[in-house]
Amino acid sequence: MKTQPLATFIRTQLPEPVFVIDSLLPAGGVGFIYGEPGVRKSWLAMALADAISEGSKWLVYRTLVQNVLIINTELPPNIYQDRWKLFLNSHIPTHIAVANSSELKLDTPSGSTTLAIEVKQNNYQVVIIDNLFTSFAGDLTKNTDAN
């Protein structure tokens, strides 16, 4: 860790941050969509993936075109496919990849390694995991497992 006087830090010219979602999500950042079951979080995530892949607005925010990987760890593939068909209505974005994996567990060495390799090999800049709770093997309600 390198320290510096506050006066030096304040005068340092820093680069402007790059935002994937204007003023909400900086490149390299992490965001969460949280809510009760059935409030359409997955649909919101699909809309987010679509907007980022096209560089179009998401809600009221501008987005930066990025390669997106959206991982469904909750729904059966046929139901998830039907959702995408309904959502897209014949429009198919070119910068989105989808993975269906109820087996992906990010808190295991193989799960985190598999994801890291996939992201690197395919140059995904944004990864959306739907749903985070089902993509862990441990009990996230317990501090020991969550840590």
Side-chain angles (χ1 to χ4, degrees), residues 20-117:
V20 174
I21 305 170
D22 199 27
S23 74
L24 273 184
L25 183 64
V30 175
F32 292 92
I33 298 172
Y34 176 81
E36 294 295 320
V39 296
R40 306 293 189 247
K41 297 178 300 293
S42 294
W43 292 89
L44 192 61
M46 290 164 51
L48 175 61
D50 183 43
I52 292 172
S53 75
E54 301 285 322
S56 60
K57 279 196 170 184
W58 180 66
L59 305 175
V60 298
Y61 301 98
R62 292 176 300 182
T63 64
L64 181 65
V65 176
Q66 302 279 281
N67 292 325
V68 179
L69 170 62
I70 185 166
I71 304 169
N72 167 42
T73 63
E74 186 175 31
L75 296 174
N78 57 339
I79 293 173
Y80 197 57
Q81 182 186 60
D82 287 345
R83 278 193 183 182
W84 272 107
K85 287 178 181 177
L86 184 62
F87 174 79
L88 294 172
N89 191 27
S90 79
H91 156 76
I92 301 179
T94 58
H95 297 287
I96 297 179
V98 175
N100 281 86
S101 179
S102 59
E103 307 302 315
L104 177 67
K105 301 301 177 193
L106 296 172
D107 57 341
T108 65
S110 64
S112 56
T113 300
T114 298
L115 179 59
I117 290 169

